[in-house]
Amino acid sequence: MGLLISEARIPFADAAGLASRMIDHLAEHNVAFEAHDGLMIARLSFGTSTLAVEPSAINVRVEASDLGNLEVLRSILASHIIEFAGDTPPTIVWQGHQSNGETLANFREVRLKSAIDLTPHMRRLTFTGGDIARFASDRELHVRLYFPPPDLAKPEWPRPAPDGQILWPPDDRRPLTRYYTIRRIDTATREIDIDFVLHDHAGPGARFAMDAHPGAICGMAGPLGRSARPARWMLLAGDETALPAIARILESLPDTTAGHVLIEVADAREELTLTAPSGMTVRWLHRDGATPGSTRLLIDAIRDVRWPDHRDVFAWVAAEAQTIKELRLHARDIPDVAREQLLAVAYWGLRRA
């Protein structure tokens, strides 16, 4: 399929102010627009968004390689335009490629096939479903899972609205969403493995995993979330929530890759056997009773890493939000490591008083 395009001209009295507010907000969420020949352009891994601002209108153009990604771009722009327009939201009418399905184009309904315990606090769920090939991506490792209310006879899923936003079922029938890493996918057998961390104060994903029974239904959309870029030397680090992604990244690396793997877990019982290039050392960091997200184990271990004397490096880190914030600050002090050589992602947040 070639490039898919949708466009809209959105009348608004203060078009420049609306565009500025929206662009500033999206920049805080790693969607950066850059000025080019009078246009504001954001190039993402799954498509491109372009804004052209007139005195009393915003012209919007989105481009993507498939309808699912096109819908994502439309929803991002439409929802933010309406949010930042204030009390007089504009009408958005898209031209070009349209959505015509009962669900989002990147959405699939999947059914639980089996569940096994990998460690005392990690359980692997195997799902099965039709037309899952879009999730078999080495560049994007994650999916968004939709967990319907447990007592709902027939699940109801979000769908695209004509203005580009996402229409959700009423609150009592609305599925809850969380992001997870695909650990393994087999398009021939139509199976997808996802590893769930089981913990106290479980959210919808952990509750689904703990109550797992064959035949249970949930939704899946994506793929999304960048993987690590291969390099001659790599650092992979994270807590147990990042362990499925780290394991999958390691299995994809060339045998010649060198570097370090640092993984924080509760104790030795949570360690897993990993397949890694011989030049990468794996070190497990044990909390030994400390609350997840409350220690400096990962931060101190990363600070102690000795970087190589060449510049073909890449670091991928995922953990609790405050940990990631501090690690980003530390990264500024690492000589000869550019911003594009580090991907640090907050997978979860510890509630602090």
Side-chain angles (χ1 to χ4, degrees):
M1 182 181 292
L3 195 65
L4 304 185
I5 298 172
S6 283
E7 298 177 303
R9 185 178 187 276
I10 306 167
F12 195 77
D14 181 20
L18 172 57
S20 177
R21 292 191 296 274
M22 181 179 66
I23 289 171
D24 288 346
H25 175 79
L26 288 173
E28 298 174 1
H29 297 273
N30 298 318
V31 179
F33 282 83
E34 298 181 355
H36 183 74
D37 293 338
L39 304 175
M40 297 300 295
I41 302 175
R43 293 182 173 88
L44 305 176
S45 62
F46 54 88
T48 300
S49 299
T50 303
L51 304 180
V53 181
E54 301 177 2
S56 57
I58 299 176
N59 293 293
V60 181
R61 176 186 175 99
V62 292
E63 307 171 8
S65 59
D66 69 45
L67 185 57
N69 290 333
L70 195 75
E71 288 177 346
V72 170
L73 290 172
R74 280 199 300 242
S75 69
I76 291 173
L77 291 179
S79 61
H80 283 87
I81 287 172
I82 290 173
E83 176 185 357
F84 288 99
D87 297 331
T88 56
T91 299
I92 303 176
V93 179
W94 292 94
Q95 306 294 327
H97 287 91
Q98 301 292 332
S99 300
N100 53 17
E102 295 183 359
T103 60
L104 301 169
N106 70 354
F107 178 92
R108 304 290 184 268
E109 187 176 277
V110 295
R111 189 177 299 269
L112 181 61
K113 181 177 180 179
S114 62
I116 60 171
D117 290 328
L118 302 178
T119 73
H121 291 94
M122 184 168 288
R123 177 171 293 179
R124 174 166 297 168
L125 271 55
T126 298
F127 296 92
T128 183
D131 193 19
I132 62 171
R134 70 171 297 112
F135 302 124
S137 168
D138 290 330
R139 292 190 309 160
E140 297 171 309
L141 303 181
H142 314 304
V143 290
R144 182 186 297 109
L145 291 184
Y146 298 75
F147 302 100
D151 298 328
L152 199 62
K154 180 177 174 55
E156 298 182 20
W157 308 117
R159 64 186 191 275
D163 66 0
Q165 295 191 94
I166 306 300
L167 289 177
W168 288 85
D171 287 347
D172 62 335
R173 301 194 296 276
R174 177 173 177 150
L176 298 177
T177 63
R178 293 294 186 273
Y179 296 89
Y180 284 89
T181 301
I182 288 182
R183 182 63 184 86
R184 179 191 69 94
I185 181 168
D186 188 329
T187 56
T189 61
R190 304 190 308 169
E191 291 182 348
I192 297 174
D193 289 348
I194 295 181
D195 296 347
F196 290 72
V197 177
L198 309 180
H199 50 79
D200 297 334
H201 311 295
R207 286 197 300 269
F208 183 90
M210 287 188 287
D211 298 336
H213 60 276
I217 293 173
C218 69
M220 183 177 295
L224 44 86
R226 289 176 293 165
S227 179
R229 175 174 59 79
R232 179 178 160 193
W233 186 97
M234 298 188 68
L235 170 67
L236 302 177
D239 57 23
E240 51 264 87
T241 64
L243 180 50
I246 290 174
R248 185 172 168 190
I249 292 169
L250 283 172
E251 293 171 357
S252 71
L253 296 178
D255 293 338
T256 55
T257 307
H260 298 287
V261 182
L262 304 170
I263 307 172
E264 177 191 318
V265 293
D267 52 47
R269 297 176 302 165
E270 299 300 323
E271 296 182 12
L272 293 173
T273 300
L274 301 177
T275 301
S278 59
M280 296 199 74
T281 60
V282 178
R283 179 184 172 196
W284 296 91
L285 311 170
H286 298 158
R287 287 191 300 272
D288 291 328
T291 301
S294 68
T295 77
R296 295 185 57 84
L297 287 170
L298 201 59
I299 294 171
D300 291 343
I302 292 175
R303 285 182 177 275
D304 289 341
V305 167
R306 295 187 61 182
W307 293 74
D309 56 6
H310 59 80
R311 301 190 63 179
D312 187 5
V313 302
F314 191 87
W316 184 98
V317 186
E320 193 274 334
Q322 287 299 120
T323 299
I324 292 299
K325 182 177 180 180
E326 184 167 345
L327 289 175
R328 285 174 179 157
L329 294 174
H330 167 62
R332 298 175 184 175
D333 300 326
I334 302 174
D336 299 326
V337 175
R339 181 177 180 181
E340 61 270 16
Q341 292 173 295
L342 169 68
L343 179 59
V345 185
Y347 268 17
W348 63 285
L350 178 66
R351 295 179 180 177
R352 291 180 168 88

